[in-house]
Amino acid sequence: MIDLRTKSFGERLKAIRQSLLNLARVEFSKKFGISDLNMRNWEAGKSNITATSLQKLIEALQKENIVVDKDWLLYGTGCSPFLASSQKIDDVA
């Protein structure tokens, strides 16, 4: 299991991209219509994601049957796409 409770938004995003979708950053960017520069900066922690981009990202992931909520992406709490859908990070310790 991937423990991403203490990781950053960028590290959680990268884990989804690599582990659940098996996509390179450029492939992910093209597939979901997100600029590669934004992806690179988000994953490196060099810039923050906007609320609009976050919602677009969540909706794109849902189309790929990856259920993730904003609290998990931003803060590492709540429903993780790496756990059973009914289990929350707060419940795992």
Side-chain angles (χ1 to χ4, degrees):
M1 180 186 327
I2 297 174
D3 184 2
L4 298 170
R5 288 177 283 191
T6 60
K7 302 291 183 182
S8 69
F9 162 75
E11 290 168 311
R12 287 186 288 278
L13 178 58
K14 186 174 183 178
I16 289 172
R17 177 177 61 74
Q18 292 178 332
S19 299
L20 298 181
L21 294 170
N22 196 31
L23 292 174
R25 190 185 64 240
V26 173
E27 294 171 317
F28 185 95
S29 296
K30 286 180 183 176
K31 182 171 184 148
F32 297 115
I34 299 169
S35 82
D36 184 53
L37 179 61
N38 279 343
M39 283 295 297
R40 189 174 339 131
N41 286 336
W42 294 338
E43 287 185 0
K46 292 182 179 179
S47 67
N48 295 322
I49 191 167
T50 64
T52 302
S53 293
L54 179 63
Q55 188 59 41
K56 181 179 177 181
L57 177 63
I58 290 170
E59 290 170 3
L61 291 171
Q62 287 174 344
K63 289 179 183 175
E64 298 294 316
N65 296 317
I66 297 173
V67 178
V68 61
D69 66 32
K70 68 177 182 173
D71 287 333
W72 185 83
L73 271 174
L74 293 175
Y75 312 112
T77 60
C79 294
S80 165
F82 295 97
L83 301 174
S85 60
S86 63
Q87 194 173 22
K88 295 187 177 192
I89 290 285
D90 298 337
D91 299 335
V92 180

